[in-house]
Amino acid sequence: MEEYAREPCPWRIVDDCGGAFTMGAIGGGIFQAVKGFRNSPSGMNHRMKGSLTAIRTRAPQLGGSFAVWGGLFSMIDCGLVKVRGKEDPWNSITSGAMTGAILAARNGPVAMVGSAAMGGILLALIEGAGILLTRFASAQFPTGPQFAEEPAPMPTSSFGDYRQYQ
């Protein structure tokens, strides 16, 4: 499948880990900016300081949490690609479930099962939406009419052949 042609596995893990950190840091920064602004005392100066303090203290932690999730997910995905010998949506769904279970391991087996179910369901929804979007996009651009035979090539004249202009 062409849609799963990505970078080789060692670099994919680093790439996914960095991308997840960036998403977590930016998204966490925006969320913490709003949260810090709302929870600060009245006055624009206090609210701006509270917003910046919340961003500075919490956004890197959220970015790190996202990076751990992304790196673990990518390592499991690469392991499944190596074991199964193919890249398909089942690898991502299984990786999401296993990542959820591993990250919830400190909370006990019940939490592991719940997190595995949520991770698998979330990744199944994402993969399903990607497949549907790909099918919908390919239906929007049908191939043009197919010709029964190739048109005959036009004869070429050599350089300096002026008979064609007489």
Side-chain angles (χ1 to χ4, degrees):
M1 298 178 101
E2 296 142 15
E3 63 189 72
Y4 286 96
R6 301 190 325 177
E7 293 186 27
C9 269
W11 302 115
R12 182 186 309 177
I13 296 169
V14 174
D15 200 30
D16 288 351
C17 192
F21 177 82
T22 303
M23 281 191 336
I26 291 172
I30 293 168
F31 180 77
Q32 292 301 320
V34 172
K35 186 177 174 185
F37 188 84
R38 291 183 66 201
N39 293 334
S40 294
S42 61
M44 190 55 91
N45 196 22
H46 291 294
R47 290 188 185 266
M48 293 304 280
K49 282 184 182 178
S51 180
L52 289 174
T53 301
I55 293 170
R56 198 173 28 235
T57 57
R58 191 75 177 116
Q61 292 173 352
L62 287 169
S65 296
F66 271 66
V68 167
W69 195 94
L72 186 59
F73 173 85
S74 196
M75 286 190 326
I76 294 170
D77 191 35
C78 285
L80 288 172
V81 168
K82 183 72 173 172
V83 169
R84 294 183 68 221
K86 59 182 174 179
E87 289 193 46
D88 61 358
W90 289 110
N91 287 348
S92 295
I93 294 168
T94 306
S95 297
M98 291 176 71
T99 300
I102 290 170
L103 291 177
R106 295 189 330 177
N107 297 328
V110 175
M112 286 178 69
V113 170
S115 291
M118 287 304 296
I121 290 170
L122 180 66
L123 264 298
L125 290 172
I126 291 170
E127 288 292 326
I131 291 169
L132 287 176
L133 188 63
T134 302
R135 286 187 183 169
F136 179 73
S138 66
Q140 294 294 321
F141 302 107
T143 57
Q146 301 297 322
F147 296 108
E149 59 186 57
E150 293 282 330
M154 295 184 60
T156 59
S157 61
S158 63
F159 183 73
D161 189 11
Y162 294 105
R163 287 180 284 158
Q164 62 183 344
Y165 299 114
Q166 294 176 352

